[in-house]
Amino acid sequence: MCGIVGYVGPRPSQDILLAGLARLEYRGYDSAGVAVIDGDGSLGMRKKAGKLAVLRDSLADAPLPDGSTGIGHTRWATHGGPTDVNAHPHLADDDKLALIHNGIIENFSALREELLADGVVFRSETDTEVAAALLGREYAGNGGDLELAFRSVVNRLEGAFTLLAMHQDHPGLVVGARRNSPLVIGLGEGENFLGSDVAAFIEHTRKALAIGQDQIVSITPDAVTVVDFAGTPVQPEPFDVSWDAAAAEKGGWSSFMAKEVAEQPEAVANTIRGRIQDGQVVIPELDGLDELFLGINRVIITACGTASYAALVGKYAIEQWARVAVDVELAHEFRYRDPVIGADTLVVSISQSGETMDTLMAVKYARERGARTLSICNTQGATIPRESDAVVYTHAGPEVAVASTKAFSAQITALLLLGLHMGRVRGAVADASVDVAELAALPEKIASVLEGEQEHVTQLAGWMADTRSVLFLGRHVGYPIALEGALKLKEISYIHAEGFAAGELKHGPIALIEPGQPVFVLVPSPRHSALVHSKVVSNIQEIRARGARVIVIAEVGDAAVLPFADEVIHIPLAGAMFEPLLAVVPLQIFAMALATAKGLDVDQPRNLAKSVTVE
Ligand code: F6R
């Protein structure tokens, strides 16, 4: 939710921090702040409500003194509204110590009472200031050992947190800690970095270290040390970042979302690459897990939001190809009931960020209950894959826009690969050659939808800029795409939108149809099932008879829908399981074009943050 960056080295830190925050702004954008220790050893701090640009302007008007030790923060408010005072950093020890935080400190109330009784005066309404005050008190009490004070503080905190702190008596030192919130180390030459993710320092180094749960890190220009919360030294895990700074830049596009929608052919191709051998799907990361796939009798896919709709597509594919029962569970629901799971259950989690708290907690819960866990994730070194027995990475590259697009396509691709891999191992797929060929053809087909329908769909959205509600209908794998189409529209254009299983229409939602109501209908190919196709055509007639304005997404040459559609968006012919990757593209473009027509910021929609690291 919040973005965190830290720097120690020979260079002035302010610009490095601001550039890092700009790359992390997708994580939260309601206020931002930086603190630096200058050459004379005094601490300067500036924080402002509003987007990063407000802080940037303030610093341009009145710069902080140069300093080569610094921390920076971009906030998504939890405790206390987005104001200057509630923004981070928070200061303690007579304003000599600065601290920033991502997460929620659940026992902050009790700690605040304790500190108030001790005479501490709080300036903000945040849980973070409690951690800063506690750290200040520990530091003053132990004779000025910041690392020791940090250890004692983290052991008193409950909840989820990444903390970074520095003290003006220790220039050249930033200390950080993490529990259930992300933090990675960037290794430079004579300088080191900390960040919520590698985007924070990608323009300076692609060499990174992953920090495990409940660990504390200290960085100086020349050294990195990591200990656990008991103080025992730990060896952090090195990894190289596979993408470069340009991948996280807008690069001439009007928005990150536009760029990411356009990158889908590449995201899908990169996710497939190296996973087809001799006409079969073989996922090298799953080597040695055949026994697991043979031993399970149930799969639960757990995720949130867009990732949960990818999961629904995965359910159809895995059941069809691997002949094993699959359920899809929203991560925050799964964990708080009493699911029947055990060693014969494979829990597959899906997460772009790998840091979504609800999904992380579901994975931990599944493991505690003896289930096997596999994650599908887009972010190297993230917490969810580290907590899982196995991981299949999607290779969509960094996704910056808050609304997920290319990561969704890559997630479906990974699930299709997983279904075919499991189908082969379980002996359920006799001949996968047609499906493997369909997979390989996907990037080109997605590119053709982007090229062929961009203008048409953008025009349609322009006509509909005043629309107050849009409905989306689909059957089979079209159903999750209807849900995703509605979510995209809600998220970035703030228009009421609902996705329904088309068969559900007559059980209630049809009451919503009145003359002029726009309804997108995802029509499956009649080549896959004439029956399902005819049912959808009947649904179209039902809504059309009640005055709906029908916008159909159908394969090229589907003449049966033409008489009943106000608009037809064409997608190329594809196998049943592959259609979702084509049909979702016009819906993404539609949402983006409608939001743009309304003058909205498609990359940073109101109230949202990209990585939801609180429950
Ligand atoms: C919607 C969107 C969210 C995420 C959800 C899970 O566009 O991006 O619904 O899909 O918050 O996020 P990850 O995949 O990072 O776990």
Side-chain angles (χ1 to χ4, degrees):
M1 310 289 287
C2 302
I4 276 183
V5 56
Y7 174 78
V8 282
R11 298 190 274 162
S13 60
Q14 194 173 292
D15 287 348
I16 295 171
L17 297 174
L18 287 174
L21 291 180
R23 290 186 203 286
L24 295 180
E25 206 183 7
Y26 70 86
R27 300 179 66 87
Y29 34 82
D30 60 32
S31 45
V34 292
V36 296
I37 302 173
D38 71 22
D40 299 335
S42 63
L43 191 142
M45 190 269 285
R46 182 78 44 80
K47 52 186 187 172
K48 288 278 168 203
K51 291 197 176 175
L52 184 61
V54 179
L55 175 69
R56 227 187 246 288
D57 289 349
S58 161
L59 289 168
D61 287 348
L64 292 175
D66 265 354
S68 53
T69 305
I71 55 179
H73 187 268
T74 177
R75 180 168 186 247
W76 185 85
T78 55
H79 290 72
T83 61
D84 284 0
V85 174
N86 287 335
H88 304 203
H90 290 278
L91 303 180
D93 196 25
D94 295 329
D95 295 350
K96 289 182 286 185
L97 181 155
L99 177 140
I100 54 179
H101 166 224
N102 170 28
I104 289 182
I105 296 166
E106 283 165 6
N107 59 335
F108 93 100
S109 204
L111 293 171
R112 192 178 160 100
E113 291 304 316
E114 176 187 317
L115 289 157
L116 281 170
D118 228 15
V120 172
V121 177
F122 288 99
R123 289 177 266 208
S124 77
E125 303 152 84
T126 63
D127 51 344
T128 305
E129 197 182 359
V130 169
L134 203 57
L135 186 64
R137 190 176 72 175
E138 290 297 320
Y139 177 87
N142 77 10
D145 185 330
L146 187 60
E147 284 146 311
L148 195 61
F150 221 80
R151 209 182 323 144
S152 127
V153 167
V154 292
N155 279 304
R156 296 211 53 203
L157 303 182
E158 289 165 18
F161 51 83
T162 299
L163 299 170
L164 292 193
M166 58 182 199
H167 194 289
Q168 69 174 35
D169 293 347
H170 302 277
L173 172 68
V174 174
V175 185
R178 64 166 296 229
R179 166 177 287 165
N180 290 334
S181 264
L183 184 63
V184 284
I185 305 165
L187 296 173
E189 299 282 329
E191 59 185 1
N192 287 307
F193 306 82
L194 292 169
S196 297
D197 69 45
V198 295
F201 48 72
I202 189 68
E203 65 184 297
H204 308 291
T205 179
R206 285 161 70 179
K207 281 200 170 98
L209 298 172
I211 310 170
Q213 278 299 14
D214 288 5
Q215 292 179 2
I216 299 174
V217 54
S218 301
I219 59 166
T220 65
D222 306 308
V224 169
T225 49
V226 181
V227 296
D228 63 19
F229 281 8
T232 312
V234 177
Q235 206 54 45
E237 206 179 292
F239 65 98
D240 286 328
V241 185
S242 55
W243 44 273
D244 60 17
E249 300 286 354
K250 230 189 273 181
W253 289 88
S254 56
S255 64
F256 277 107
M257 188 173 177
K259 172 175 177 259
E260 288 158 11
V261 165
E263 282 173 347
Q264 289 180 104
E266 202 185 331
V268 169
N270 288 343
T271 301
I272 296 170
R273 185 161 299 123
R275 290 164 172 171
I276 297 180
Q277 288 172 23
D278 304 326
Q280 303 258 39
V281 169
V282 179
I283 303 178
E285 297 94 309
L286 303 182
D287 266 5
L289 293 183
D290 286 7
E291 229 166 275
L292 161 70
F293 293 129
L294 287 166
I296 53 165
N297 59 24
R298 185 167 171 224
V299 175
I300 295 176
I301 315 181
T302 190
C304 301
T306 285
S308 75
Y309 303 148
L312 276 173
V313 177
K315 170 184 166 74
Y316 288 87
I318 296 172
E319 285 196 339
Q320 170 149 330
W321 289 328
R323 301 312 299 156
V324 59
V326 182
D327 291 313
V328 174
E329 298 253 12
L330 289 169
H332 35 87
E333 289 296 320
F334 171 68
R335 193 205 163 190
Y336 292 108
R337 56 185 191 82
D338 190 10
V340 182
I341 55 172
D344 55 1
T345 316
L346 173 66
V347 173
V348 176
S349 63
I350 308 179
S351 176
Q352 186 287 127
S353 61
E355 301 293 347
T356 299
M357 183 61 73
D358 291 316
T359 311
L360 172 63
M361 288 304 160
V363 171
K364 285 187 165 187
Y365 177 85
R367 282 188 76 171
E368 279 160 25
R369 293 298 196 85
R372 306 297 298 270
T373 55
L374 184 156
S375 71
I376 292 179
C377 182
N378 197 44
T379 310
Q380 275 172 299
T383 310
I384 292 173
R386 290 166 63 86
E387 294 284 327
S388 306
D389 297 323
V391 53
V392 175
Y393 279 107
T394 50
H395 296 294
E399 191 178 65
V400 178
V402 165
S404 185
T405 53
K406 64 174 179 173
F408 176 69
S409 294
Q411 285 161 354
I412 295 179
T413 307
L415 285 159
L416 298 179
L417 287 163
L418 180 63
L420 288 168
H421 180 100
M422 285 172 64
R424 177 180 53 75
V425 171
R426 291 169 65 90
V429 176
D431 177 7
S433 56
V434 173
D435 294 313
V436 169
E438 287 273 2
L439 256 181
L442 271 172
E444 207 173 305
K445 289 184 188 175
I446 297 171
S448 84
V449 180
L450 282 165
E451 208 180 291
E453 288 294 346
Q454 179 96 33
E455 209 180 305
H456 174 204
V457 176
T458 305
Q459 203 175 47
L460 199 64
W463 294 333
M464 290 168 64
D466 294 331
T467 302
R468 297 184 52 187
S469 159
V470 182
L471 305 182
F472 296 78
L473 301 181
R475 274 181 191 255
H476 195 259
V477 285
Y479 167 46
I481 300 306
L483 297 173
E484 173 62 1
L487 178 61
K488 285 292 89 92
L489 196 60
K490 282 185 248 205
E491 270 184 297
I492 60 170
S493 73
Y494 317 149
I495 288 176
H496 172 255
E498 292 291 333
F500 297 108
E504 193 63 12
L505 201 64
K506 57 191 173 300
H507 300 288
I510 199 162
L512 291 170
I513 308 288
E514 53 186 17
Q517 168 68 54
V519 184
F520 278 83
V521 185
L522 294 125
V523 183
S525 165
R527 298 171 299 109
H528 307 143
S529 163
L531 188 62
V532 178
H533 177 264
S534 71
K535 300 270 180 227
V536 175
V537 174
S538 302
N539 294 140
I540 294 174
Q541 283 164 320
E542 285 155 17
I543 54 170
R544 173 99 172 163
R546 287 158 180 86
R549 182 168 178 208
V550 181
I551 305 141
V552 149
I553 301 181
E555 75 174 13
V556 173
D558 183 350
V561 295
L562 298 181
F564 315 113
D566 293 288
E567 295 285 338
V568 181
I569 297 166
H570 290 296
I571 56 171
L573 273 59
M577 298 301 167
F578 306 88
E579 273 181 352
L581 286 145
L582 309 178
V584 75
V585 175
L587 299 182
Q588 296 164 339
I589 297 172
F590 177 75
M592 198 166 54
L594 196 54
T596 308
K598 289 179 71 178
L600 299 171
D601 179 345
V602 300
D603 285 340
Q604 296 184 338
R606 70 184 178 202
N607 304 341
L608 293 173
K610 179 122 192 101
S611 183
V612 187
T613 54
V614 293
E615 275 190 86

